[in-house]
Amino acid sequence: MSERGVDDRAVLRGFEPSDIPTGVTHYRGKVREVLTRGDEMVIVATDRVSAFDRVLGVVPRKGEVLNRISEFWFRATADVCANHYRRVLTPRSMLVTPCRVYPVEVVVRGYLTGSAWREYAAGRPVSGVTVPPGMRENQEFSGAIITPSTKENDGDHDRPISCADIVATGIVPADDWAAIERSALALFARGQEIARANGLILVDTKYEFGHDGERIVVVDEMHTPDSSRFWYASTYAERFAAGERPDELDKEYLRRTLMECGYTGDGEPPEIPMTVVSELSAKYVAAFETITREKLSDSGLDAEAEKKRILSYVNEGS
Ligand SMILES: Nc1ncnc2c1ncn2[C@@H]1O[C@H](COP(=O)(O)OP(=O)(O)OP(=O)(O)O)[C@@H](O)[C@H]1O
Ligand SMILES: [Mg+2]
């Protein structure tokens, strides 16, 4: 993605190995970075943006939006399931409890859409779930379903797996998996309830669960535009009846813009104009405000200062 015009003070691109103090473990995902020292873990949502499984550039305010949306949901669901959230450290970072994470993406779906629709349309079950015949694209299921994937290492695409196979192959012990299924459905129900009150449909999402030594804990991010799909509730029924695509709270915007330029994930991505970057940034801020019903004020902290604060925290704690 072209980044001409992006103000470097406004974006946090990530940490370099040379930034990391000794004694601190550094993990770099596509979008987030994790710094761990002892029983302290900091998850940093950078401003990197990915589509088609690739990092394509940076979008101002994206990291802060994602961090603050996760914070909102961890607080709003803490009574439903224990989570790893301790507190927000800086606008883009969160202090969490480190856990032993099960390598499963626990996908919960309320509607038949996206990859589930594509599997169904091709006559295949979705992660072992047989979807009833005669359903239409974007139709609501009679009850939410769980369609897990295994979490694969760098570069490999996640692989769909049935709930039965997760237990049969020993990826998760049976009693823990039963608890995870119950928690995932309960979290999703709470998410849908709150989203609905704010005019949105929580369509589907992905959770990760871990063990903190005592109990099952929901970790990673929660109900963010990067891990979830949201539609606007007010137009859903009418558009579904007319066979039109639901109005979505955009994550698809970048993907669609790239596809309009003829890019579908292979080769060098095209240059994205600064207007698109600005548009994306505004969309992330709007997403925060719609989901949480709060205003996102400017943190006033430049990215370098924020990195310093995070590093000094993991270095000495405070
Ligand atoms: N409480 C926690 N304890 C231990 N690991 C955690 C915790 N919360 C999240 N994680 C891990 O932190 C990482 C966050 O990184 P991130 O999601 O950016 O990258 P990724 O999942 O490896 O790859 P991708 O870019 O495809 O999402 C994940 O591997 C996630 O499992
Ligand atoms: Mg991830």
Side-chain angles (χ1 to χ4, degrees):
M1 183 189 288
S2 159
E3 287 156 18
R4 273 177 293 119
V6 173
D7 178 356
D8 257 327
R9 284 168 307 185
V11 287
L12 198 158
R13 292 171 193 274
F15 295 93
E16 298 306 322
S18 58
D19 293 335
I20 309 300
T22 46
V24 174
T25 314
H26 177 216
Y27 171 83
R28 177 178 257 243
K30 272 194 295 293
V31 170
R32 286 168 303 150
E33 306 206 6
V34 183
L35 302 171
T36 315
R37 199 190 57 173
D39 71 345
E40 303 241 75
M41 177 175 264
V42 179
I43 299 191
V44 184
T46 71
D47 294 311
R48 298 195 292 264
V49 65
S50 71
F52 304 107
D53 273 338
R54 297 179 57 157
V55 174
L56 297 170
V58 284
V59 173
R61 310 212 71 187
K62 174 176 185 271
E64 183 181 0
V65 162
L66 264 68
N67 192 45
R68 297 285 313 281
I69 290 177
S70 272
E71 177 200 17
F72 170 82
W73 287 111
F74 282 131
R75 294 167 68 124
T77 61
D79 61 318
V80 173
C81 177
N83 64 54
H84 72 165
Y85 172 80
R86 288 190 196 163
R87 67 183 168 88
V88 162
L89 189 64
T90 65
R92 299 176 179 87
S93 73
M94 182 183 287
L95 191 60
V96 304
T97 304
C99 295
R100 192 165 44 80
V101 178
Y102 288 120
V104 179
E105 310 232 307
V106 184
V107 178
V108 183
R109 302 175 185 274
Y111 293 75
L112 180 58
T113 193
S115 62
W117 163 253
R118 289 192 290 276
E119 287 299 290
Y120 177 76
R124 289 189 289 263
V126 185
S127 297
V129 178
T130 305
V131 175
M135 282 188 70
R136 286 169 51 202
E137 187 173 12
N138 304 324
Q139 187 173 344
E140 188 174 10
F141 291 120
S142 53
I145 61 169
I146 302 182
T147 61
S149 305
T150 59
K151 235 173 108 67
E152 302 292 338
N153 290 330
D154 282 358
D156 290 341
H157 287 290
D158 300 333
R159 196 167 40 82
I161 187 169
S162 69
C163 295
D165 282 347
I166 288 173
V167 173
T169 55
I171 300 174
V172 182
D175 48 348
D176 280 1
W177 181 254
I180 286 172
E181 281 196 357
R182 274 197 308 275
S183 294
L185 292 173
L187 288 166
F188 190 69
R190 173 66 62 83
Q192 284 200 316
E193 185 192 316
I194 294 173
R196 180 65 69 146
N198 295 346
L200 295 171
I201 296 172
L202 175 60
V203 179
D204 46 42
T205 195
K206 180 224 73 176
Y207 303 107
E208 288 182 34
F209 290 88
H211 216 287
D212 70 356
E214 276 170 36
R215 52 188 183 168
I216 299 282
V217 175
V218 61
V219 301
D220 208 53
E221 60 187 328
M222 190 182 285
H223 303 161
T224 67
D226 274 12
S227 69
S228 318
R229 185 181 272 119
F230 291 94
W231 291 336
Y232 287 98
S234 60
T235 54
Y236 169 75
E238 197 182 321
R239 295 184 65 92
F240 177 71
E244 290 166 7
R245 200 177 56 209
D247 283 325
E248 57 201 352
L249 187 75
D250 262 279
K251 165 187 163 77
E252 288 292 304
Y253 172 76
L254 176 61
R255 248 181 111 81
R256 243 198 327 270
T257 308
L258 289 163
M259 283 166 82
E260 279 160 18
C261 306
Y263 182 72
T264 53
D266 298 317
E268 269 311 294
E271 273 203 354
I272 308 292
M274 194 53 206
T275 50
V276 173
V277 174
S278 305
E279 184 83 2
L280 261 174
S281 180
K283 278 178 182 288
Y284 273 106
V285 173
F288 172 86
E289 295 181 348
T290 308
I291 291 170
T292 68
R293 290 271 181 96
E294 291 165 31
K295 274 264 166 251
L296 189 65
S297 52
D298 196 337
S299 76
L301 189 63
D302 80 45
E304 270 318 300
E306 182 166 357
K307 277 170 72 172
K308 281 208 184 98
R309 236 161 74 187
I310 294 166
L311 289 169
S312 98
Y313 182 86
V314 290
N315 206 15
E316 55 223 37
S318 62

